[in-house]
Amino acid sequence: RLGDVAAAATLAEEAVARQRALGNAWGLSQALDILGEARLRQGNAAAAREHQVEAARVALAEDDRWHLSRALIGYAIAAAALGRWEAATRTAGALEVAHALTGERVRPRRKGAWDAALAAAEAALGPERFAAARAAGRALALEDVVAAADAD
């Protein structure tokens, strides 16, 4: 049932519970990321943000840079949906550096939402504040980005 976001959210919730019970951090991070994306598509950006932050914390603890990147992309999109423009933009700046080092990129299924989030952030902040927030993000380690997202 391609496109059934409610079914995807239900399956992701089950996967989160299963991965927690198994103690599988890799699977938990991935399931939380998927659940966050489903919640965002359902219009619940606050829940999406929470799931993405938890996914980022789990991935960071496991030193899993690939899932950390995915979770932070989801976090930035959710933060923008909540009007947390500077947080979204700083995260984008940090991810630019991380992606340059690892070769990772925003995946096609999230590229449209990513571009829209950054465009909205730039429109809300104005070009100068947007550039400053992005530059500030470029100076942050991913560990600091996760801590800031957790405190946001």
Side-chain angles (χ1 to χ4, degrees):
R1 298 183 323 212
L2 189 61
D4 187 342
V5 178
T10 298
L11 291 171
E13 286 173 346
E14 292 170 6
V16 166
R18 200 170 300 121
Q19 297 308 317
R20 279 192 210 284
L22 291 170
N24 181 358
W26 183 86
L28 178 59
S29 179
Q30 186 174 15
L32 285 163
D33 176 56
I34 293 167
L35 181 56
E37 187 173 355
R39 292 293 181 232
L40 187 64
R41 288 176 187 236
Q42 289 178 315
N44 191 343
R49 182 206 157 278
E50 292 298 320
H51 296 308
Q52 297 297 356
V53 170
E54 185 179 358
R57 281 195 315 260
V58 171
L60 181 63
E62 293 295 310
D63 197 30
D64 180 349
R65 298 296 168 155
W66 189 76
H67 279 114
L68 177 57
S69 173
R70 287 180 54 169
L72 288 175
I73 289 165
Y75 165 75
I77 294 168
L82 292 167
R84 294 175 174 157
W85 308 118
E86 290 193 13
T89 306
R90 277 192 312 273
T91 303
L95 284 168
E96 285 175 23
V97 173
H99 289 175
L101 294 172
T102 64
E104 182 58 44
R105 60 183 166 65
V106 178
R107 299 293 176 180
R109 81 167 198 271
R110 284 193 171 159
K111 185 76 169 103
W114 175 257
D115 291 344
L118 294 184
E122 185 171 16
L125 295 173
E128 289 178 14
R129 283 180 58 205
F130 180 79
R134 206 160 187 169
R138 285 189 200 104
L140 293 174
L142 290 178
E143 294 79 1
D144 298 327
V145 176
V146 174
D150 208 12
D152 175 38

